Amino acid sequence: MEKMECPCGYIYDPEEGDADSGIPGGTAFADLPDDWVCPKCGAEKEYFYPAD
């Protein structure tokens, strides 16, 4: 599964998920809820891009 990066520098790692938002590890970025936003800056999913 691919890591995705927010313009603010936050990287969503599917293996870790987002515990603060109740997203368990193993959740692919594409499977995140539509209303999920970056926990660091609040950016919506559409602004994320593949992390190098």
Side-chain angles (χ1 to χ4, degrees):
M1 287 188 282
E2 187 174 36
K3 294 180 182 179
M4 298 293 286
E5 186 169 352
C6 181
C8 77
Y10 171 81
I11 295 178
Y12 176 77
D13 183 346
E15 291 184 13
E16 295 180 10
D18 178 10
D20 292 338
S21 297
I23 307 297
T27 303
F29 187 80
D31 295 333
L32 291 171
D34 290 338
D35 62 350
W36 181 86
V37 295
C38 174
K40 186 173 177 183
C41 75
E44 297 175 348
K45 287 174 57 177
E46 66 185 84
Y47 297 105
F48 279 70
Y49 52 88
D52 291 331

Short mmCIF file of all heavy atoms in Angstrom, two decimals:
data_model
loop_
_atom_site.label_atom_id
_atom_site.label_comp_id
_atom_site.label_asym_id
_atom_site.label_seq_id
_atom_site.Cartn_x
_atom_site.Cartn_y
_atom_site.Cartn_z
N MET A 1 0.85 -1.19 0.00
CA MET A 1 0.00 0.00 0.00
C MET A 1 0.88 1.24 0.00
O MET A 1 1.92 1.28 0.66
CB MET A 1 -0.92 0.00 1.21
CG MET A 1 -2.05 -1.01 1.10
SD MET A 1 -3.28 -0.88 2.42
CE MET A 1 -2.41 -1.69 3.75
N GLU A 2 0.43 2.22 -0.73
CA GLU A 2 1.22 3.42 -0.95
C GLU A 2 1.00 4.48 0.14
O GLU A 2 -0.13 4.73 0.55
CB GLU A 2 0.82 4.00 -2.31
CG GLU A 2 1.64 5.14 -2.78
CD GLU A 2 1.29 5.56 -4.19
OE1 GLU A 2 0.10 5.49 -4.57
OE2 GLU A 2 2.21 5.96 -4.91
N LYS A 3 2.09 5.11 0.55
CA LYS A 3 1.99 6.24 1.47
C LYS A 3 1.60 7.47 0.68
O LYS A 3 1.99 7.64 -0.48
CB LYS A 3 3.34 6.49 2.16
CG LYS A 3 3.76 5.37 3.08
CD LYS A 3 5.10 5.68 3.71
CE LYS A 3 5.56 4.55 4.61
NZ LYS A 3 6.86 4.83 5.22
N MET A 4 0.80 8.33 1.30
CA MET A 4 0.35 9.56 0.65
C MET A 4 0.77 10.76 1.49
O MET A 4 0.70 10.71 2.72
CB MET A 4 -1.17 9.54 0.47
CG MET A 4 -1.67 8.41 -0.42
SD MET A 4 -1.16 8.58 -2.15
CE MET A 4 -2.25 9.89 -2.69
N GLU A 5 1.19 11.83 0.81
CA GLU A 5 1.69 13.00 1.50
C GLU A 5 0.79 14.20 1.28
O GLU A 5 0.29 14.44 0.19
CB GLU A 5 3.11 13.33 1.01
CG GLU A 5 3.76 14.45 1.79
CD GLU A 5 5.24 14.60 1.49
OE1 GLU A 5 5.81 13.75 0.79
OE2 GLU A 5 5.82 15.58 1.97
N CYS A 6 0.62 14.97 2.35
CA CYS A 6 -0.15 16.21 2.32
C CYS A 6 0.82 17.36 2.01
O CYS A 6 2.00 17.27 2.36
CB CYS A 6 -0.80 16.43 3.69
SG CYS A 6 -1.82 17.92 3.80
N PRO A 7 0.35 18.42 1.37
CA PRO A 7 1.23 19.56 1.14
C PRO A 7 1.88 20.12 2.42
O PRO A 7 2.96 20.70 2.35
CB PRO A 7 0.31 20.60 0.50
CG PRO A 7 -0.75 19.79 -0.17
CD PRO A 7 -0.96 18.60 0.72
N CYS A 8 1.28 19.89 3.57
CA CYS A 8 1.84 20.39 4.83
C CYS A 8 3.00 19.52 5.32
O CYS A 8 3.68 19.88 6.27
CB CYS A 8 0.77 20.49 5.91
SG CYS A 8 0.31 18.91 6.67
N GLY A 9 3.20 18.36 4.69
CA GLY A 9 4.29 17.48 5.08
C GLY A 9 3.85 16.23 5.82
O GLY A 9 4.64 15.31 6.01
N TYR A 10 2.59 16.17 6.27
CA TYR A 10 2.08 14.97 6.93
C TYR A 10 2.05 13.82 5.93
O TYR A 10 1.64 14.00 4.78
CB TYR A 10 0.67 15.22 7.48
CG TYR A 10 -0.01 13.96 7.97
CD1 TYR A 10 0.27 13.45 9.23
CD2 TYR A 10 -0.93 13.29 7.18
CE1 TYR A 10 -0.35 12.28 9.68
CE2 TYR A 10 -1.56 12.13 7.62
CZ TYR A 10 -1.25 11.64 8.87
OH TYR A 10 -1.87 10.50 9.33
N ILE A 11 2.47 12.64 6.35
CA ILE A 11 2.43 11.47 5.49
C ILE A 11 1.48 10.44 6.09
O ILE A 11 1.65 10.03 7.24
CB ILE A 11 3.84 10.86 5.30
CG1 ILE A 11 4.73 11.85 4.55
CG2 ILE A 11 3.75 9.53 4.55
CD1 ILE A 11 6.15 11.39 4.33
N TYR A 12 0.47 10.06 5.30
CA TYR A 12 -0.44 9.00 5.73
C TYR A 12 0.21 7.67 5.36
O TYR A 12 0.47 7.40 4.19
CB TYR A 12 -1.81 9.11 5.05
CG TYR A 12 -2.69 7.94 5.42
CD1 TYR A 12 -3.30 7.90 6.67
CD2 TYR A 12 -2.87 6.87 4.57
CE1 TYR A 12 -4.07 6.81 7.05
CE2 TYR A 12 -3.63 5.77 4.93
CZ TYR A 12 -4.23 5.75 6.18
OH TYR A 12 -4.98 4.66 6.55
N ASP A 13 0.47 6.85 6.38
CA ASP A 13 1.05 5.53 6.19
C ASP A 13 -0.04 4.50 6.43
O ASP A 13 -0.53 4.36 7.55
CB ASP A 13 2.21 5.33 7.18
CG ASP A 13 2.93 4.01 6.99
OD1 ASP A 13 2.40 3.12 6.27
OD2 ASP A 13 4.02 3.86 7.55
N PRO A 14 -0.46 3.79 5.38
CA PRO A 14 -1.55 2.82 5.54
C PRO A 14 -1.27 1.74 6.58
O PRO A 14 -2.19 1.22 7.19
CB PRO A 14 -1.68 2.18 4.15
CG PRO A 14 -0.89 3.00 3.23
CD PRO A 14 0.05 3.84 4.02
N GLU A 15 0.00 1.41 6.79
CA GLU A 15 0.33 0.39 7.78
C GLU A 15 0.04 0.89 9.19
O GLU A 15 -0.27 0.09 10.08
CB GLU A 15 1.79 -0.03 7.65
CG GLU A 15 2.08 -0.80 6.37
CD GLU A 15 3.51 -1.28 6.30
OE1 GLU A 15 4.22 -1.26 7.32
OE2 GLU A 15 3.91 -1.69 5.20
N GLU A 16 0.14 2.20 9.40
CA GLU A 16 -0.12 2.78 10.73
C GLU A 16 -1.55 3.25 10.89
O GLU A 16 -2.07 3.29 12.00
CB GLU A 16 0.83 3.97 10.96
CG GLU A 16 2.29 3.56 11.03
CD GLU A 16 3.20 4.75 11.26
OE1 GLU A 16 2.69 5.86 11.54
OE2 GLU A 16 4.41 4.58 11.14
N GLY A 17 -2.19 3.68 9.80
CA GLY A 17 -3.53 4.25 9.88
C GLY A 17 -3.48 5.62 10.55
O GLY A 17 -2.46 6.31 10.52
N ASP A 18 -4.59 6.02 11.16
CA ASP A 18 -4.67 7.31 11.85
C ASP A 18 -5.47 7.09 13.13
O ASP A 18 -6.69 7.27 13.15
CB ASP A 18 -5.33 8.36 10.95
CG ASP A 18 -5.49 9.72 11.62
OD1 ASP A 18 -4.93 9.92 12.71
OD2 ASP A 18 -6.18 10.58 11.04
N ALA A 19 -4.77 6.66 14.17
CA ALA A 19 -5.43 6.29 15.42
C ALA A 19 -6.27 7.44 15.99
O ALA A 19 -7.35 7.20 16.55
CB ALA A 19 -4.41 5.83 16.44
N ASP A 20 -5.80 8.67 15.85
CA ASP A 20 -6.53 9.82 16.40
C ASP A 20 -7.90 9.99 15.74
O ASP A 20 -8.81 10.55 16.33
CB ASP A 20 -5.71 11.10 16.25
CG ASP A 20 -4.47 11.09 17.13
OD1 ASP A 20 -4.44 10.34 18.13
OD2 ASP A 20 -3.53 11.84 16.83
N SER A 21 -8.02 9.51 14.51
CA SER A 21 -9.30 9.61 13.78
C SER A 21 -10.05 8.29 13.75
O SER A 21 -11.04 8.15 13.05
CB SER A 21 -9.05 10.09 12.34
OG SER A 21 -8.49 11.38 12.34
N GLY A 22 -9.53 7.28 14.48
CA GLY A 22 -10.19 5.99 14.53
C GLY A 22 -9.97 5.14 13.30
O GLY A 22 -10.75 4.22 13.03
N ILE A 23 -8.91 5.41 12.54
CA ILE A 23 -8.60 4.65 11.33
C ILE A 23 -7.56 3.59 11.71
O ILE A 23 -6.43 3.93 12.06
CB ILE A 23 -8.04 5.56 10.22
CG1 ILE A 23 -8.97 6.75 9.94
CG2 ILE A 23 -7.76 4.75 8.96
CD1 ILE A 23 -10.34 6.38 9.41
N PRO A 24 -7.93 2.32 11.62
CA PRO A 24 -6.98 1.27 12.02
C PRO A 24 -5.86 1.07 11.00
O PRO A 24 -6.02 1.39 9.82
CB PRO A 24 -7.87 0.02 12.09
CG PRO A 24 -8.99 0.29 11.15
CD PRO A 24 -9.22 1.79 11.21
N GLY A 25 -4.73 0.56 11.48
CA GLY A 25 -3.64 0.21 10.59
C GLY A 25 -4.13 -0.79 9.56
O GLY A 25 -5.02 -1.59 9.83
N GLY A 26 -3.56 -0.74 8.35
CA GLY A 26 -3.99 -1.62 7.28
C GLY A 26 -5.05 -1.01 6.40
O GLY A 26 -5.55 -1.67 5.48
N THR A 27 -5.42 0.26 6.66
CA THR A 27 -6.44 0.93 5.85
C THR A 27 -5.77 1.70 4.72
O THR A 27 -5.00 2.63 4.95
CB THR A 27 -7.27 1.91 6.71
OG1 THR A 27 -7.87 1.20 7.79
CG2 THR A 27 -8.35 2.59 5.88
N ALA A 28 -6.06 1.30 3.49
CA ALA A 28 -5.50 1.98 2.31
C ALA A 28 -6.05 3.40 2.23
O ALA A 28 -7.18 3.68 2.68
CB ALA A 28 -5.85 1.22 1.04
N PHE A 29 -5.26 4.30 1.65
CA PHE A 29 -5.69 5.69 1.52
C PHE A 29 -7.02 5.78 0.78
O PHE A 29 -7.91 6.54 1.17
CB PHE A 29 -4.62 6.51 0.78
CG PHE A 29 -4.91 7.98 0.76
CD1 PHE A 29 -4.63 8.78 1.86
CD2 PHE A 29 -5.45 8.57 -0.36
CE1 PHE A 29 -4.91 10.14 1.85
CE2 PHE A 29 -5.73 9.94 -0.38
CZ PHE A 29 -5.45 10.72 0.72
N ALA A 30 -7.18 4.99 -0.27
CA ALA A 30 -8.42 5.00 -1.06
C ALA A 30 -9.63 4.57 -0.24
O ALA A 30 -10.76 4.92 -0.58
CB ALA A 30 -8.27 4.11 -2.28
N ASP A 31 -9.38 3.82 0.83
CA ASP A 31 -10.48 3.33 1.67
C ASP A 31 -10.82 4.24 2.84
O ASP A 31 -11.74 3.94 3.61
CB ASP A 31 -10.15 1.93 2.19
CG ASP A 31 -10.06 0.90 1.07
OD1 ASP A 31 -10.71 1.10 0.03
OD2 ASP A 31 -9.33 -0.08 1.24
N LEU A 32 -10.11 5.35 2.97
CA LEU A 32 -10.44 6.31 4.03
C LEU A 32 -11.81 6.92 3.76
O LEU A 32 -12.19 7.09 2.59
CB LEU A 32 -9.39 7.43 4.08
CG LEU A 32 -7.99 7.03 4.56
CD1 LEU A 32 -7.02 8.19 4.35
CD2 LEU A 32 -8.02 6.63 6.02
N PRO A 33 -12.55 7.28 4.79
CA PRO A 33 -13.85 7.92 4.57
C PRO A 33 -13.69 9.21 3.76
O PRO A 33 -12.66 9.88 3.83
CB PRO A 33 -14.35 8.24 5.99
CG PRO A 33 -13.53 7.39 6.90
CD PRO A 33 -12.22 7.13 6.21
N ASP A 34 -14.72 9.55 2.99
CA ASP A 34 -14.66 10.75 2.15
C ASP A 34 -14.47 12.02 2.96
O ASP A 34 -13.92 13.00 2.46
CB ASP A 34 -15.93 10.88 1.30
CG ASP A 34 -15.99 9.81 0.21
OD1 ASP A 34 -14.92 9.27 -0.17
OD2 ASP A 34 -17.10 9.52 -0.26
N ASP A 35 -14.91 11.99 4.22
CA ASP A 35 -14.81 13.21 5.04
C ASP A 35 -13.53 13.24 5.89
O ASP A 35 -13.35 14.14 6.70
CB ASP A 35 -16.05 13.37 5.93
CG ASP A 35 -16.21 12.21 6.92
OD1 ASP A 35 -15.49 11.19 6.80
OD2 ASP A 35 -17.08 12.33 7.79
N TRP A 36 -12.63 12.26 5.68
CA TRP A 36 -11.35 12.26 6.40
C TRP A 36 -10.51 13.44 5.92
O TRP A 36 -10.49 13.77 4.74
CB TRP A 36 -10.61 10.95 6.17
CG TRP A 36 -9.30 10.84 6.89
CD1 TRP A 36 -9.11 10.41 8.17
CD2 TRP A 36 -8.00 11.20 6.41
NE1 TRP A 36 -7.78 10.47 8.50
CE2 TRP A 36 -7.07 10.96 7.44
CE3 TRP A 36 -7.53 11.71 5.20
CZ2 TRP A 36 -5.71 11.19 7.29
CZ3 TRP A 36 -6.18 11.95 5.05
CH2 TRP A 36 -5.28 11.69 6.09
N VAL A 37 -9.83 14.10 6.86
CA VAL A 37 -8.95 15.21 6.52
C VAL A 37 -7.61 15.01 7.21
O VAL A 37 -7.49 14.24 8.17
CB VAL A 37 -9.54 16.58 6.93
CG1 VAL A 37 -10.79 16.90 6.13
CG2 VAL A 37 -9.81 16.65 8.41
N CYS A 38 -6.60 15.71 6.74
CA CYS A 38 -5.27 15.65 7.33
C CYS A 38 -5.35 16.02 8.80
O CYS A 38 -5.89 17.07 9.15
CB CYS A 38 -4.33 16.61 6.60
SG CYS A 38 -2.70 16.74 7.35
N PRO A 39 -4.82 15.16 9.68
CA PRO A 39 -4.88 15.46 11.11
C PRO A 39 -3.97 16.62 11.52
O PRO A 39 -4.11 17.16 12.61
CB PRO A 39 -4.45 14.16 11.77
CG PRO A 39 -3.65 13.45 10.75
CD PRO A 39 -4.23 13.85 9.41
N LYS A 40 -3.07 17.01 10.65
CA LYS A 40 -2.13 18.09 10.97
C LYS A 40 -2.66 19.46 10.54
O LYS A 40 -2.55 20.43 11.28
CB LYS A 40 -0.78 17.80 10.30
CG LYS A 40 0.32 18.76 10.68
CD LYS A 40 1.65 18.30 10.10
CE LYS A 40 2.75 19.30 10.41
NZ LYS A 40 4.03 18.89 9.80
N CYS A 41 -3.24 19.53 9.32
CA CYS A 41 -3.65 20.85 8.81
C CYS A 41 -5.10 20.92 8.37
O CYS A 41 -5.60 22.00 8.06
CB CYS A 41 -2.74 21.28 7.67
SG CYS A 41 -3.06 20.42 6.11
N GLY A 42 -5.78 19.78 8.29
CA GLY A 42 -7.19 19.78 7.90
C GLY A 42 -7.44 19.72 6.41
O GLY A 42 -8.58 19.87 5.97
N ALA A 43 -6.39 19.50 5.60
CA ALA A 43 -6.58 19.42 4.14
C ALA A 43 -7.40 18.18 3.78
O ALA A 43 -7.29 17.14 4.42
CB ALA A 43 -5.22 19.37 3.44
N GLU A 44 -8.20 18.30 2.74
CA GLU A 44 -9.02 17.18 2.29
C GLU A 44 -8.18 16.20 1.48
O GLU A 44 -7.09 16.53 1.00
CB GLU A 44 -10.18 17.72 1.46
CG GLU A 44 -11.09 18.61 2.29
CD GLU A 44 -12.19 19.26 1.46
OE1 GLU A 44 -12.12 19.21 0.21
OE2 GLU A 44 -13.10 19.81 2.06
N LYS A 45 -8.69 15.00 1.30
CA LYS A 45 -7.96 13.92 0.63
C LYS A 45 -7.48 14.30 -0.77
O LYS A 45 -6.44 13.84 -1.22
CB LYS A 45 -8.85 12.68 0.52
CG LYS A 45 -9.08 11.95 1.81
CD LYS A 45 -10.08 10.82 1.67
CE LYS A 45 -9.69 9.81 0.63
NZ LYS A 45 -10.65 8.69 0.55
N GLU A 46 -8.25 15.12 -1.48
CA GLU A 46 -7.91 15.47 -2.86
C GLU A 46 -6.56 16.18 -2.99
O GLU A 46 -5.99 16.21 -4.09
CB GLU A 46 -9.01 16.32 -3.48
CG GLU A 46 -9.14 17.69 -2.83
CD GLU A 46 -10.32 18.48 -3.39
OE1 GLU A 46 -11.44 18.26 -2.88
OE2 GLU A 46 -10.11 19.30 -4.30
N TYR A 47 -6.06 16.74 -1.91
CA TYR A 47 -4.80 17.49 -1.96
C TYR A 47 -3.56 16.61 -1.71
O TYR A 47 -2.44 17.07 -1.85
CB TYR A 47 -4.83 18.65 -0.97
CG TYR A 47 -5.90 19.65 -1.31
CD1 TYR A 47 -7.07 19.70 -0.57
CD2 TYR A 47 -5.74 20.52 -2.39
CE1 TYR A 47 -8.08 20.61 -0.89
CE2 TYR A 47 -6.74 21.42 -2.72
CZ TYR A 47 -7.90 21.45 -1.98
OH TYR A 47 -8.90 22.33 -2.31
N PHE A 48 -3.78 15.36 -1.35
CA PHE A 48 -2.67 14.45 -1.08
C PHE A 48 -2.11 13.92 -2.39
O PHE A 48 -2.81 13.82 -3.39
CB PHE A 48 -3.15 13.28 -0.23
CG PHE A 48 -3.25 13.60 1.25
CD1 PHE A 48 -4.22 14.46 1.73
CD2 PHE A 48 -2.40 13.01 2.16
CE1 PHE A 48 -4.33 14.75 3.07
CE2 PHE A 48 -2.48 13.29 3.52
CZ PHE A 48 -3.46 14.18 3.97
N TYR A 49 -0.84 13.58 -2.36
CA TYR A 49 -0.16 13.01 -3.52
C TYR A 49 0.76 11.89 -3.05
O TYR A 49 1.10 11.82 -1.87
CB TYR A 49 0.63 14.09 -4.28
CG TYR A 49 1.56 14.89 -3.40
CD1 TYR A 49 2.88 14.47 -3.17
CD2 TYR A 49 1.12 16.07 -2.78
CE1 TYR A 49 3.72 15.20 -2.34
CE2 TYR A 49 1.96 16.80 -1.97
CZ TYR A 49 3.26 16.35 -1.75
OH TYR A 49 4.10 17.06 -0.93
N PRO A 50 1.15 10.98 -3.97
CA PRO A 50 2.01 9.86 -3.55
C PRO A 50 3.32 10.35 -2.94
O PRO A 50 3.98 11.24 -3.49
CB PRO A 50 2.27 9.10 -4.85
CG PRO A 50 1.12 9.46 -5.73
CD PRO A 50 0.76 10.88 -5.37
N ALA A 51 3.67 9.78 -1.80
CA ALA A 51 4.93 10.13 -1.13
C ALA A 51 6.07 9.41 -1.82
O ALA A 51 5.91 8.28 -2.27
CB ALA A 51 4.86 9.76 0.34
N ASP A 52 7.22 10.05 -1.90
CA ASP A 52 8.39 9.43 -2.54
C ASP A 52 9.03 8.43 -1.62
O ASP A 52 9.13 8.59 -0.46
CB ASP A 52 9.42 10.50 -2.90
CG ASP A 52 8.91 11.38 -4.04
OD1 ASP A 52 8.12 10.90 -4.86
OD2 ASP A 52 9.30 12.56 -4.09
#
